[in-house]
Structure formats: C-alpha cells, structure tokens
Amino acid sequence: MDKLDRNSIEARCRWPGWQDKLCSAEEASALIEDGMTVGMSGFTRAGEAKEVPRALAERAALDPFSITLMTGASLGNDLDKLLTDANVLSRRMPFQVDATLRRAINDGRVMFIDQHLSETVELLRNRQLAELDVAVVEACAITEEGGIVPTTSVGNSASYAILADKVIIELNLDSPAEMEGLHDIYIPQMRPTRPPIPVVAPDSRIGTPYIPIDPEKIAAIVVTRGKDSPSTVLPPDADTRHIADHLIRFFSDEVSAGRLAPSLLPLQAGIGTMANAVMSGLAEGPFEHLTMYSEVLQDSTFDLLDAGKLDFASGCSITLSEACGERVWSNLDAYRDRLILRPQELSNHPGIVRRLGIIAVNTALEVDIYGNVNSTHVGGTRMMNGIGGSGDFARNAQLSVFVTKSVAKGGDLSSVVPFVSHVDHTEHDVDVLVTEHGLADLRGLAPRERAERVIEQCADPLYRPALRRYFEEACRRGGHTPHCLEQALSWHIAVERDGHMRSLQEEGVEAVGA
C-alpha cells in the first residue's frame, strides 16, 4: 500500500482497527461458503458491493458452490449476470432486472422469491427466512465506532449488517465523501410492542447518519474504486408526454375541487423510463413546493429540484443516467440539504405511506377493464423483474396511479385486456389508470362502470371494438364483475399461439375463443 492510498483510506476509515481487517476481494470472498445465506447492499443498480461478488464468480468457476442471495433490489455492473453465469445463485430475492438471471429464473434454475420490498428484512428480523451468515456492504466511510456510512443506496443494507454473523465492508474510495450525513438510518423495534415510527414528513430525520453495528462483526474491509452503473432511462417520447399531460390535468382538477393543495401530496414514482418521464413532466405543471417520499430518486427528482418545483426528496437510493450523474455528483453540496436516503423498510413502510398521504405513480405491464394490474409476469408465467415496492405504495397511497402505454410490440399486444394474465394489484388498490389516450378515474365506481371507463379512456382504438364486444357479452351472462372466462383467456392464448393479438381486431373475441 503506497502512502497516497493509505492517506485516502485513513480519510474515509476512522475506525482504529481497520488495518487488521484489510484484505483483498478474493480473501474476503473466502468467508462465503457453499449453502450460506448472504445479504448484499444494492438497490436499483446503486450502491452495490462491486468486487466481492466478482471474486465469488471467479472462485465458483474453479470450485463450484452456490448461495442464497438477498439484496435491496437489483444489482448494477452486471453482477447478477456474472453470478448467474457462474452458477453461484441457487436462490435470489427480492427483486432483479438482469436478462441472464431472468432466463435462469424462468427456466427454473434459480429459485426467485418475489417480495414486497418493505417486507424482506421484516421477515428476516422475525426469523421467517433463513438467518444471514454474511453481509457485504459498500461504504463511503467507516466511523470511529465502526459504523458503516453507505454510498448511493441504503436499501436493506442496514438490517443485513445488523443481523448477519459477519460483515464484509467494501470501502469505495470513488464514492463521494460528501455523501456522509445524507443517510437517516432507523431500525424499527421488535413486535408486538413496537412504537410508531416518527416520520411525519418527507424531511423528518429520526435516526443516525451511519449503520450502527458491533465492530467485532467486521470480518473484512476491501478497498475498492468504481462507479455505479448509469440508469438506462430513455428520454420522454410523445406517448409519455401525453401520459404526463393527462396526469397534470387530473391533478389540476383535484386542486380545483379542493381535494389537493397546489403543492399536491408527497410523490412516489416507480423505477424506469415511464414513471421517470411522467415525473419529469410535472416540471411543466402549475404545482409548486412539491415533496417526494419514494424508493428511487431518479433523473426526474433532480430535474424537479433544478426547476425549483421540488423542495425535498426522501428515498432509499439514487440511480441516475450518466449525464444527470455528472451534474449531481460533481455538485452534491447543492442538493444535500434537500435529500435523505433511508432503509427501504422505511421508504416503503405502509404506515408511513398512509400517514403522509402519498400520491403513488407506478408502471403496469398490463391492466384489465376492471382495474386489476399485472406488473411482473409476461403472459402470466414469465417473470420480468418483480413487484418491487409498487404494492407497498398502491395499497396505502391516498392516490394510487398506474401508467402504461396502451399497446406493446408495435401494436401487436394490447396492454388493456379483459382479464390480466397475472394479478399483482387488485382493483381494490387502483384508483387511476393512465395511457397515452386518456385517464380513467376509477374512484367510487362499481366494476361495470370501471370497465366502460377503462375501455373508452385507456384502450387503444385498435382494440376498443373487441373489448366492447367482450364486455357486452360478459354483461349478458351477468355477475357483479361480468366475465367470459374462456374468452378472457383467449387474448393471452392468441399471443401464445400467434405472437400477437391482432386477430382480435377483425374477428372479435368470440371467434378467437371458439
């Protein structure tokens, strides 16, 4: 170790015992053995440990072994791909976005447990999941007492470090030192005598700026350098602008009716291009002094901060495009007083979501005419990414909004169907559906009223006639929620058989279901 590196480490690592724990990623990875349960930092391609997972994959190529891996959400830097290709993963939870891992999950080679993101550490804490053997956490600093200062995500890192038998810390010297002080680490007490969690506003600070652990558990410190993967968010297109416009008009009407103030209520946005584009669109709206209480702080968060529209944002990770990252990380001091990063069981906590009256905006794969939402499974069976935190927010938000484009694959598929192929969010938890064609406010409507509104406001004109025919026939058969089950499934069967739904446009549901 040269003098420059030593000075850099000492500036970040104030814990006196660090030199005795310093080791390589390869040496640290040897602490992880076959069959262990491992918790790693990382939430939506942000703040993941970067070198120990690589060392695990390299070791497994020579000496095969497998583990159960828990994270906050998805990992960046292709780590899920590397671990999958090396057959390291036998079981994975609670969320992922990697194409290679997705294939292994759908082939049955990796057992994937899709969980509401607020629940994973709650299950661990109450010993409903296998106990953690090792936690691997990326840090930007280590305090005098051995406290871990996370980097760009908290996710489940705090509870993993507290609950695991051993902790491996990756001290990333490339992470901004200015991140220290940005985090708010609070761990709920055990049930059944847990006091209320005292978050009463997005800017409430209730914990410590570091993860408090027993330093005796620190088994290894690996010094690293490296950046998070940039997000793959695409710029808004005509359809996402239309969706944003529909929502802005809807919010404006809610303000006019006195149901919302001009500052609205704290906003939550799901990950990805669609929700990010919709949030960015609010910069053009008439609303001022907005706040955010969400999971992932994306480009749109900083667009709204820069536009002077957003006063404060609370999340559990920061995931940015390369261009936005250059703007933010080189000027973090300008944002620090307006940001908090929390553990995901707090960012997604149902009680806090309900207390604050969140406006939740999440993305659907498909919706049905009664308001049920599929956000996870293509064709009802093939996992895409996972439910993430959308259920935590949808069930408890003051306004639960789901957005989607009305068609997929160039019009081959309708995103509005008679009955979704997999239900993640029931009609009881969905208030508003929005596509580029319009917005369906479903509040206070019975199922038959919902169906008419969804078909006329949200479905693509190509598929409206078939949806109308389906609904008319279903109503003739009767029922509180009318269905022709064989015809409802025929929409999905058409995709399995033909690769598209276009035959429904000409033939109608009856012919396809015959």
Side-chain angles (χ1 to χ4, degrees), residues 253-301:
D253 290 344
E254 291 293 290
V255 172
S256 297
R259 290 188 287 268
L260 289 176
S263 58
L264 304 182
L265 284 163
L267 300 166
Q268 177 264 333
I271 63 169
T273 297
M274 180 78 67
N276 188 72
V278 170
M279 284 293 110
S280 291
L282 291 177
E284 306 301 321
F287 316 108
E288 304 286 345
H289 301 296
L290 299 171
T291 58
M292 184 173 287
Y293 195 87
S294 192
E295 297 171 324
V296 186
L297 306 184
Q298 304 175 86
D299 288 20
S300 56
T301 303

Side-chain angles (χ1 to χ4, degrees), residues 297-312:
L297 306 184
Q298 304 175 86
D299 288 20
S300 56
T301 303
F302 295 90
D303 291 342
L304 290 170
L305 285 168
D306 290 344
K309 294 286 189 174
L310 184 66
D311 287 353
F312 198 90

Side-chain angles (χ1 to χ4, degrees), residues 28-285:
S29 77
L31 297 169
I32 298 172
E33 300 174 3
D34 185 43
M36 280 187 167
T37 299
V38 179
M40 288 189 183
S41 64
F43 192 104
T44 319
R45 299 160 61 91
E48 75 278 349
K50 297 172 174 63
E51 295 304 324
V52 172
R54 291 183 185 277
L56 285 173
E58 292 169 1
R59 196 179 105 213
L62 302 173
D63 181 18
F65 67 96
S66 62
I67 63 172
T68 292
L69 177 61
M70 302 179 181
T71 60
S74 55
L75 300 178
N77 286 289
D78 290 328
L79 294 178
D80 270 323
K81 171 181 168 54
L82 292 173
L83 293 169
T84 302
D85 284 340
N87 296 313
V88 172
L89 303 180
S90 63
R91 190 172 295 269
R92 179 77 168 85
M93 63 182 78
F95 188 84
Q96 55 75 44
V97 299
D98 182 77
T100 299
L101 176 54
R102 186 181 302 133
R103 283 193 295 272
I105 290 167
N106 288 317
D107 290 344
R109 292 181 284 120
V110 174
M111 295 296 103
F112 179 60
I113 296 89
D114 182 24
Q115 293 177 323
H116 296 297
L117 295 188
S118 67
E119 292 187 344
T120 304
V121 297
E122 198 78 271
L123 294 169
L124 272 174
R125 187 181 294 120
N126 292 286
R127 302 178 69 183
Q128 297 178 70
L129 295 173
E131 294 185 13
L132 276 180
D133 297 296
V134 179
V136 187
V137 179
E138 185 179 71
C140 70
I142 304 174
T143 70
E144 291 83 352
E145 296 79 22
I148 302 170
V149 180
T151 59
T152 49
S153 73
V154 180
N156 285 328
S157 302
S159 289
Y160 289 163
I162 291 168
L163 294 172
D165 294 333
K166 297 178 180 179
V167 179
I168 299 170
I169 301 174
E170 285 200 8
L171 184 63
N172 188 343
L173 300 183
D174 282 346
S175 62
E178 294 81 7
M179 295 214 63
E180 188 164 0
L182 196 65
H183 310 89
D184 187 44
I185 310 300
Y186 177 94
I187 305 299
Q189 294 182 26
M190 292 294 290
R191 297 162 172 166
T193 56
R194 175 184 298 169
I197 299 170
V199 172
V200 295
D203 59 356
S204 295
R205 280 193 173 273
I206 62 173
T208 60
Y210 55 86
I211 301 169
I213 65 167
D214 179 357
E216 292 296 317
K217 297 204 306 181
I218 300 176
I221 297 174
V222 180
V223 177
T224 67
R225 290 188 181 273
K227 296 182 178 180
D228 292 338
S229 300
S231 76
T232 54
V233 166
L234 299 174
D237 59 20
D239 288 341
T240 56
R241 288 191 186 96
H242 287 315
I243 291 170
D245 288 344
H246 296 318
L247 266 179
I248 289 170
R249 282 194 293 272
F250 171 73
F251 292 150
S252 296
D253 290 344
E254 291 293 290
V255 172
S256 297
R259 290 188 287 268
L260 289 176
S263 58
L264 304 182
L265 284 163
L267 300 166
Q268 177 264 333
I271 63 169
T273 297
M274 180 78 67
N276 188 72
V278 170
M279 284 293 110
S280 291
L282 291 177
E284 306 301 321

